[in-house]
Amino acid sequence: MAAADIVDSRSALSRAWNNKEARSVILQILTVALLFGFFFYIIRNAVINLETIGKGYSFTFLSAPASYDINQTLIDYNSRDTHFRAAIVGILNTLLVAVSGIILATIVGFVLGVLRLSKNWLMSRIVYCYIEIVRNVPVLLHILLIHGIVVNTLPVPRQSPSFFSESVFLSNRGLYVPSPLPEPLFWATFIAFVGGIVGTVLYKRHARKLQEETGRILPVFRVGLGLIIGLPFVVFLVTGMPMNWSYPELKGFNFVGGVAMKPEFLALWLALSLYTSAFIAEIVRAGILAVSYGQTEAAHALGLRTNRTLQLVIIPQALRVIVPPLTSQYLNLTKNSSLAIAIGYMDIVATIGGISLNQTGREMESMTIVLLIYLSFSLVISLFMNWYNKRIKLVER
């Protein structure tokens, strides 16, 4: 009986292996199991070695005082706070550079990509030279160059020029602008703003559905502008303008009050944005050229102007070619922000992966945190861009 069972089991395994789909699943399971086994062995070996030298593997150091200052923070922080709070400050600083850089790089890249195809020979050549020069120089050199320009060419605080009725100052210590101080009733304005965004989205869907069914075009832009800007402004006035401002003032050798954009942030933001915009410009150019010129001719035959043709016909079709490589540029910009340590900008690498690591001697733990943070950022960007890519893809009827 046992021999018969063995023969049946072998026969079942043979049939499963000969089946293409079953064999594929078996190979995937074995591959995943081998990968997990490999990582388990590496991690276990690292933990044993750390325990042997008396370190262990623990994140308790995050609750200890950091004992170092950070030059730019988005939340309250001082040297008596913990390493965990220092890590939060570093994460927020990294997010600030990444998000600001992606926005500016996208705007500049799209503009340069369109100008690269301009019929104006001089404009096209200027943009071409800019793209070739910028993208063929390492991004670290761009960061150091712009930082050197900001620090060495801008005036000291006492000689810095003022703008907008002496409320904005630019010096080698950074850009100082007024900071808003919301009062208790400001929540009504914020709710009106959020409601305006929701209302605009719903109205846009209604306008699109109405256009598909009847051909009637509703003024989405003007209505959206009124909901997002006009409605909060009216609520702001009705509630008695519940907002004060903190203005920068020169006291001693530096400015006090307001919000300061430090030269390290300015240099990193501009360098990453301009460097990435050169690649985005070529991606945009390739995407526009991928759209058949017959689409442009058809739009012109319908009486559409060049700018409307670009907005309504060319760009929507080009986005299907632009978005996939654009995702890679967003990921590169986010990861290149780790070069901030070269100019002293305190991001996650400089805080938890730099000073905290050196103070506590927790190399494995610190690097684990840094790696997981960048992995999380990259996955979020990839998920969002993949969602957007599916949203704009061609749908066959």
Side-chain angles (χ1 to χ4, degrees):
M1 192 68 177
D5 291 339
I6 294 174
V7 171
D8 290 341
S9 63
R10 289 179 177 177
S11 177
L13 289 174
S14 177
R15 288 195 301 271
W17 183 257
N18 291 329
N19 184 281
K20 183 178 179 180
E21 294 182 359
R23 184 170 65 249
S24 175
V25 173
I26 293 172
L27 289 175
Q28 291 180 49
I29 293 174
L30 290 175
T31 302
V32 172
L34 288 174
L35 285 174
F36 274 102
F38 172 75
F39 285 116
F40 175 77
Y41 170 77
I42 294 295
I43 295 172
R44 181 175 177 274
N45 190 44
V47 171
I48 292 174
N49 290 335
L50 288 172
E51 290 177 349
T52 301
I53 61 177
K55 280 191 173 183
Y57 189 79
S58 172
F59 293 93
T60 55
F61 75 96
L62 291 174
S63 60
S67 301
Y68 62 87
D69 294 321
I70 299 178
N71 55 6
Q72 178 169 319
T73 63
L74 297 178
I75 59 175
D76 292 334
Y77 172 84
N78 58 65
S79 59
R80 294 185 299 274
D81 287 324
T82 62
H83 289 285
F84 178 77
R85 192 166 184 84
I88 297 298
V89 172
I91 292 172
L92 293 177
N93 285 346
T94 301
L95 278 175
L96 178 63
V97 170
V99 174
S100 302
I102 286 173
I103 294 173
L104 182 59
T106 302
I107 295 173
V108 176
F110 265 80
V111 172
L112 293 178
V114 174
L115 293 178
R116 178 75 174 81
L117 298 172
S118 173
K119 295 181 181 179
N120 187 314
W121 184 87
L122 180 61
M123 180 62 69
S124 176
R125 291 297 96 187
I126 291 175
V127 174
Y128 170 76
C129 293
Y130 167 83
I131 292 173
E132 292 302 318
I133 292 173
V134 171
R135 71 175 184 169
N136 286 295
V137 176
V139 63
L140 179 59
L141 296 183
H142 287 294
I143 295 172
L144 296 175
L145 174 63
I146 296 179
H147 183 258
I149 293 174
V150 171
V151 172
N152 296 315
T153 62
L154 292 179
V156 297
R158 287 185 175 276
Q159 300 175 357
S160 62
S162 60
F163 308 93
F164 303 106
S165 301
E166 296 187 356
S167 58
V168 178
F169 298 89
L170 180 63
S171 71
N172 60 0
R173 299 286 183 90
L175 177 65
Y176 291 83
V177 298
S179 62
L181 300 174
E183 294 182 353
L185 284 178
F186 187 75
W187 62 267
T189 304
F190 178 76
I191 292 178
F193 177 72
V194 174
I197 295 177
V198 174
T200 301
V201 173
L202 295 177
Y203 184 78
K204 183 178 180 181
R205 291 181 180 178
H206 170 70
R208 181 182 300 174
K209 183 179 179 180
L210 184 65
Q211 182 179 0
E212 291 175 354
E213 294 177 351
T214 65
R216 181 184 173 191
I217 300 177
L218 297 178
V220 177
F221 177 76
R222 284 179 291 176
V223 173
L225 197 66
L227 289 174
I228 296 176
I229 298 178
L231 179 61
F233 182 71
V234 171
V235 174
F236 181 74
L237 294 177
V238 170
T239 54
M241 296 187 291
M243 175 76 74
N244 286 323
W245 294 88
S246 173
Y247 294 94
E249 298 178 0
L250 182 62
K251 292 185 178 180
F253 297 99
N254 205 353
F255 291 97
V256 177
V259 175
M261 298 176 64
K262 299 296 183 181
E264 293 79 15
F265 169 76
L266 290 173
L268 186 65
W269 175 41
L270 293 176
L272 292 177
S273 301
L274 296 179
Y275 178 77
T276 307
S277 68
F279 292 90
I280 293 178
E282 287 297 277
I283 293 171
V284 172
R285 183 177 71 91
I288 293 175
L289 291 177
V291 180
S292 172
Y293 188 69
Q295 300 288 324
T296 303
E297 293 177 330
H300 289 166
L302 293 173
L304 290 177
R305 298 188 301 273
T306 301
N307 60 335
R308 296 294 288 174
T309 300
L310 191 66
Q311 177 186 354
L312 300 176
V313 179
I314 305 302
I315 294 299
Q317 298 184 69
L319 281 176
R320 300 176 179 93
V321 179
I322 292 172
V323 170
L326 187 64
T327 304
S328 298
Q329 294 305 317
Y330 288 169
L331 294 173
N332 289 337
L333 187 150
T334 303
K335 290 179 286 189
N336 285 337
S337 67
S338 59
L339 296 172
I341 195 173
I343 56 174
Y345 181 74
M346 302 296 285
D347 67 339
I348 186 62
V349 175
T351 54
I352 202 70
I355 302 176
S356 293
L357 184 152
N358 292 325
Q359 286 185 354
T360 61
R362 295 288 179 175
E363 300 88 356
M364 288 290 295
E365 295 87 340
S366 299
M367 286 297 101
T368 300
I369 294 173
V370 174
L371 290 173
L372 289 177
I373 292 300
Y374 277 105
L375 177 62
S376 301
F377 289 167
S378 299
L379 290 177
V380 170
I381 293 173
S382 298
L383 288 173
F384 175 78
M385 295 302 292
N386 288 336
W387 167 82
Y388 183 70
N389 191 36
K390 290 181 180 179
R391 186 174 179 271
I392 63 173
K393 70 179 182 180
L394 288 172
V395 179
E396 297 182 359
R397 297 188 178 183

